[in-house]
Amino acid sequence: MMFDTTVKVSLKPGMLNPEATTIQRSLALLGYEVKGTKTSNTISFVIEAESEDDARAKVDDMCQKLLCNPIIHNYTISLIKMDFTCGSCE
Amino acid sequence: MAIGIIRFPGSNCDRDVYKAIELAGGEAEYIWWNNEDLTDYDGIVIPGGFSYGDYLRAGAIASNTPVINGVKALVKEEKPVLGICNGAQILGEIGLMPGLFITNEVPKFNCEWVELKVATNRTPFTKNFEKNQKIKIPIAHAEGRFYTKDIDLMKDQDQIVLQFEGKNPNGSMEAITGVCDESGLVMAMMPHPERATTSLLGSKDGLEFFKGMLDSI
């Protein structure tokens, strides 16, 4: 089974995020008063796995080893099963 | 008998470190990132630069290369390992030092001379200094703000090695900019000692880090 995977990596709550602070200040200069600005990274790829649980376990491992640093980051994983029969005539 | 200098694509302080080790009276050799067997070396320096373009996070990709297995093996053999700037960020990613160096409080690249305080001289790299001695070495980084969850533990274990004196240019926790592991043999520092090796450059305080390292092997 193939899964379209998206990992979202964000700083843990309470961590100083200077990039977000700068963006918020810049938005204020343009007249947009917003609060709670955050930034995050998304990493997307396609993975082959036995099942959704198997895919999730593999991606979780990737997050722990490379995609995130668990000291400062939280992450969310979203998996969408790719259905290749979609669009074909039955 | 030589100090190994690890090179990744994007390392750019490797030659400065080579010269610094020569000036300190030692012998140095370059090691490419795919070399896993480092048993011929008496110590390792991971120099600064922008390994792998700082993709994902500074040091994240480099910390998953084969050469790091060799570094871990040398640490087990109690050989000294010094990570400078990007090298320090790599040691943070590997987990060989306490805490991490993350984006500066003001998120821009900051290059200037700073005054530092030697908070402990129990490491091979700082043993030629007096405790609390003030030294002058330049910094050059955008991700050098020290952060840890275990500040009390670090104090108990005497793991704070260098602190900014006078001002804190990047917002580091307790102005910390050099730390070591429990043994003191693995040290990570953001300032560049290899850029302060002769009076002609403005200071030769940095040379003592390499002399100390060579003395201990």
Coordinates of all heavy atoms in Angstrom, one line a residue, chain B residues 92-123:
Chain B
G92 N 25.2 18.7 19.2 CA 23.9 18.8 19.8 C 22.9 17.9 19.2 O 22.1 17.2 19.8
E93 N 22.9 17.8 17.8 CA 22.0 16.9 17.1 C 22.3 15.4 17.4 O 21.4 14.6 17.5 CB 22.1 17.1 15.6 CG 21.4 18.4 15.1 CD 19.9 18.2 15.2 OE1 19.4 17.1 15.1 OE2 19.2 19.2 15.3
I94 N 23.6 15.1 17.6 CA 23.9 13.7 18.0 C 23.5 13.4 19.4 O 23.2 12.2 19.7 CB 25.4 13.4 17.9 CG1 26.0 13.8 16.5 CG2 25.8 12.0 18.1 CD1 27.5 13.8 16.5
G95 N 23.4 14.4 20.2 CA 23.1 14.2 21.6 C 24.4 13.9 22.5 O 24.3 13.4 23.6
L96 N 25.6 14.3 22.0 CA 26.8 14.1 22.7 C 27.1 15.3 23.7 O 28.0 15.2 24.5 CB 28.0 13.9 21.8 CG 28.1 12.5 21.1 CD1 29.3 12.5 20.1 CD2 28.3 11.5 22.2
M97 N 26.3 16.3 23.5 CA 26.4 17.4 24.5 C 25.1 17.7 25.1 O 24.0 17.3 24.5 CB 26.9 18.7 23.8 CG 26.0 19.2 22.6 SD 26.3 20.9 22.1 CE 24.8 21.7 22.8
P98 N 25.0 18.3 26.3 CA 23.7 18.7 26.8 C 23.1 19.9 26.1 O 23.8 20.8 25.8 CB 24.0 19.0 28.3 CG 25.4 19.5 28.2 CD 26.1 18.8 27.1
G99 N 21.8 19.8 25.7 CA 21.2 21.0 25.1 C 21.4 21.1 23.6 O 22.0 20.2 23.0
L100 N 21.0 22.3 23.1 CA 21.1 22.5 21.7 C 21.5 24.0 21.4 O 21.2 24.8 22.3 CB 19.8 22.3 21.0 CG 19.3 20.9 20.7 CD1 17.9 21.0 20.2 CD2 20.2 20.2 19.8
F101 N 22.0 24.3 20.2 CA 22.2 25.7 19.8 C 21.1 25.9 18.7 O 21.1 25.3 17.7 CB 23.6 25.9 19.3 CG 24.7 25.8 20.3 CD1 25.5 24.6 20.4 CD2 24.9 26.8 21.2 CE1 26.4 24.5 21.3 CE2 25.8 26.6 22.2 CZ 26.6 25.5 22.3
I102 N 20.2 26.9 19.0 CA 19.1 27.1 18.1 C 19.1 28.6 17.7 O 20.0 29.4 18.1 CB 17.7 26.7 18.7 CG1 17.5 27.4 20.1 CG2 17.7 25.2 18.9 CD1 16.2 27.1 20.8
T103 N 18.1 29.0 16.8 CA 18.1 30.3 16.2 C 18.3 31.4 17.2 O 17.6 31.5 18.2 CB 16.8 30.5 15.4 OG1 16.6 29.4 14.5 CG2 16.8 31.8 14.6
N104 N 19.2 32.4 16.8 CA 19.4 33.5 17.7 C 18.2 34.3 18.1 O 17.2 34.3 17.3 CB 20.4 34.5 17.0 CG 21.8 34.0 16.8 OD1 22.1 32.9 17.3 ND2 22.6 34.8 16.1
E105 N 18.2 34.9 19.2 CA 17.0 35.7 19.7 C 16.6 36.7 18.6 O 15.5 36.9 18.3 CB 17.4 36.4 21.0 CG 16.3 37.0 21.7 CD 16.7 37.5 23.1 OE1 17.8 38.0 23.2 OE2 15.9 37.4 24.0
V106 N 17.6 37.5 18.1 CA 17.4 38.3 16.9 C 17.9 37.4 15.7 O 19.1 37.1 15.6 CB 18.1 39.6 16.9 CG1 17.9 40.4 15.7 CG2 17.7 40.4 18.2
P107 N 16.9 36.9 14.9 CA 17.3 35.9 13.9 C 18.1 36.3 12.7 O 17.7 36.3 11.6 CB 15.9 35.3 13.5 CG 15.0 36.5 13.6 CD 15.5 37.3 14.8
K108 N 19.3 36.8 13.0 CA 20.2 37.1 11.9 C 21.6 36.6 12.2 O 22.0 36.3 13.3 CB 20.2 38.6 11.7 CG 20.8 39.4 12.9 CD 21.1 40.8 12.5 CE 22.0 41.5 13.6 NZ 22.4 42.8 13.3
F109 N 22.4 36.5 11.1 CA 23.8 36.1 11.2 C 24.6 37.1 12.0 O 24.6 38.3 11.6 CB 24.4 35.8 9.9 CG 25.7 35.1 9.9 CD1 25.8 33.7 10.0 CD2 26.9 35.8 9.9 CE1 27.0 33.1 10.0 CE2 28.1 35.2 9.9 CZ 28.2 33.8 10.0
N110 N 25.3 36.7 13.0 CA 26.0 37.7 13.9 C 27.5 37.3 13.9 O 27.9 36.2 14.3 CB 25.4 37.6 15.3 CG 25.9 38.6 16.2 OD1 26.7 39.5 15.8 ND2 25.5 38.6 17.4
C111 N 28.3 38.2 13.4 CA 29.8 38.0 13.3 C 30.5 39.1 14.0 O 30.5 40.3 13.6 CB 30.2 38.0 11.8 SG 31.9 37.6 11.6
E112 N 31.1 38.8 15.2 CA 31.8 39.9 15.9 C 32.8 39.3 17.0 O 32.7 38.1 17.3 CB 30.8 40.8 16.7 CG 29.9 40.1 17.7 CD 29.0 41.0 18.4 OE1 29.4 42.0 18.9 OE2 27.8 40.6 18.6
W113 N 33.7 40.1 17.4 CA 34.6 39.7 18.5 C 33.8 39.7 19.8 O 33.1 40.7 20.1 CB 35.8 40.6 18.6 CG 36.8 40.3 17.6 CD1 36.9 40.8 16.3 CD2 37.9 39.3 17.7 NE1 37.9 40.3 15.6 CE2 38.6 39.4 16.4 CE3 38.3 38.4 18.7 CZ2 39.7 38.5 16.2 CZ3 39.4 37.6 18.4 CH2 40.1 37.7 17.2
V114 N 34.0 38.7 20.7 CA 33.3 38.8 22.0 C 34.3 38.4 23.1 O 35.3 37.8 22.9 CB 32.1 37.8 22.1 CG1 31.0 38.2 21.1 CG2 32.5 36.3 21.7
E115 N 33.9 38.9 24.3 CA 34.7 38.5 25.5 C 34.0 37.3 26.1 O 32.7 37.3 26.2 CB 34.8 39.6 26.5 CG 36.0 39.4 27.4 CD 36.2 40.6 28.4 OE1 35.2 41.3 28.7 OE2 37.3 40.7 28.9
L116 N 34.8 36.3 26.5 CA 34.2 35.1 27.1 C 34.8 34.9 28.5 O 35.9 35.3 28.8 CB 34.5 33.9 26.3 CG 34.1 33.9 24.8 CD1 34.7 32.7 24.1 CD2 32.6 33.8 24.7
K117 N 34.0 34.2 29.3 CA 34.6 33.8 30.6 C 34.7 32.2 30.6 O 33.8 31.5 30.2 CB 33.6 34.2 31.7 CG 34.0 33.8 33.1 CD 33.1 34.3 34.2 CE 31.9 33.3 34.4 NZ 31.0 33.6 35.4
V118 N 35.9 31.8 31.1 CA 36.1 30.3 31.2 C 35.5 29.8 32.5 O 36.0 30.1 33.5 CB 37.6 30.0 31.1 CG1 37.8 28.5 31.2 CG2 38.2 30.5 29.8
A119 N 34.3 29.2 32.4 CA 33.6 28.8 33.6 C 34.2 27.6 34.3 O 34.0 27.4 35.5 CB 32.1 28.6 33.2
T120 N 34.8 26.7 33.5 CA 35.5 25.6 34.1 C 36.8 25.3 33.3 O 36.8 25.4 32.0 CB 34.6 24.3 34.2 OG1 35.4 23.3 34.8 CG2 34.2 23.8 32.8
N121 N 37.8 24.9 33.9 CA 39.1 24.5 33.2 C 39.3 23.0 33.4 O 40.5 22.6 33.3 CB 40.2 25.4 33.6 CG 40.5 25.3 35.1 OD1 39.9 24.5 35.8 ND2 41.5 26.0 35.6
R122 N 38.3 22.2 33.6 CA 38.5 20.8 33.8 C 38.5 20.0 32.5 O 38.9 18.9 32.4 CB 37.4 20.2 34.7 CG 36.0 20.0 34.0 CD 35.0 19.4 34.9 NE 33.7 19.2 34.3 CZ 33.3 18.1 33.8 NH1 34.0 17.0 33.9 NH2 32.1 18.0 33.3
T123 N 38.2 20.7 31.3 CA 38.2 20.0 30.0 C 39.7 20.1 29.5 O 40.4 21.1 29.8 CB 37.3 20.6 29.0 OG1 37.9 21.9 28.5 CG2 35.9 21.0 29.6

